[in-house]
Amino acid sequence: MARGSSGIVAGLTAAALAAVCFLAYQASANAPDSVAAPSDKASGATAAPSPKPKAPKEPFAVPADSDTGTRVVYALKDRRVWIVDDKEKALRTFTVMPSSVNPLPGVYAVTSRSGTITGSDGVPIEHVVRFANVGEVSVGFSAAQDNSMESPDPTMKTGGVRMKRTDGNALWTFATVGVKVVVVP
């Protein structure tokens, strides 16, 4: 009986140690810079003053010059999409992985949709929302069924702008055929 209970104690001790290590990691990852990193003054090192950091761009702020009304805004440089209602309010914004072929900045409309297909790169995708053609390449938003957002192979001409599945679900619900898509630089 003593051997069996010592095994239980050892298992509980290991589980408790793992939990403490996990909580310590979480605490260190979320600690403010002033607590998490040692000060240069404390170590005696002198450093040149760092440049003033830029204020972070408000992610929910819809880009200027992105037209008006109900629309999807796709910012090529920022790799970000906004879903905007008729009151100019961003209902949702999220990052995307651009395709190897991008449309020019301009105003487009959703032309077709597909629930589940295989992408031109061979990846199973869902919630495809097509809005532009560049040459023979159809450009649209989609989510990989495995939730990946890999960089596209630059040697392949693909038009899939990838996003996470939860973002793809939201875009699918919003962007029906005819909804405006505005591409900004």
Side-chain angles (χ1 to χ4, degrees), residues 85-143:
D85 70 9
D86 61 342
K87 296 176 181 77
E88 298 301 312
K89 178 183 177 197
L91 302 174
R92 185 181 187 110
T93 183
F94 48 89
T95 58
V96 295
M97 177 57 66
S99 56
S100 61
V101 175
N102 290 307
L104 293 173
V107 178
Y108 302 86
V110 175
T111 56
S112 68
R113 297 166 17 121
S114 298
T116 305
I117 62 171
T118 300
S120 56
D121 57 358
V123 174
I125 57 175
E126 65 185 12
H127 295 153
V128 180
V129 176
R130 294 176 200 86
F131 62 91
N133 286 306
V134 178
E136 294 183 17
V137 177
S138 180
V139 179
F141 303 111
S142 64

Side-chain angles (χ1 to χ4, degrees), residues 31-119:
D33 290 340
S34 61
V35 174
S39 164
D40 287 338
K41 292 176 184 170
S43 65
T46 57
S50 60
K52 188 174 185 177
K54 290 182 180 178
K57 192 174 176 182
E58 174 60 44
F60 272 95
V62 179
D65 300 326
S66 66
D67 210 24
T68 60
T70 301
R71 64 196 182 281
V72 175
V73 178
Y74 173 32
L76 297 169
K77 181 180 166 195
D78 292 336
R79 297 179 169 198
R80 179 168 287 280
V81 167
W82 290 261
I83 297 175
V84 184
D85 70 9
D86 61 342
K87 296 176 181 77
E88 298 301 312
K89 178 183 177 197
L91 302 174
R92 185 181 187 110
T93 183
F94 48 89
T95 58
V96 295
M97 177 57 66
S99 56
S100 61
V101 175
N102 290 307
L104 293 173
V107 178
Y108 302 86
V110 175
T111 56
S112 68
R113 297 166 17 121
S114 298
T116 305
I117 62 171
T118 300

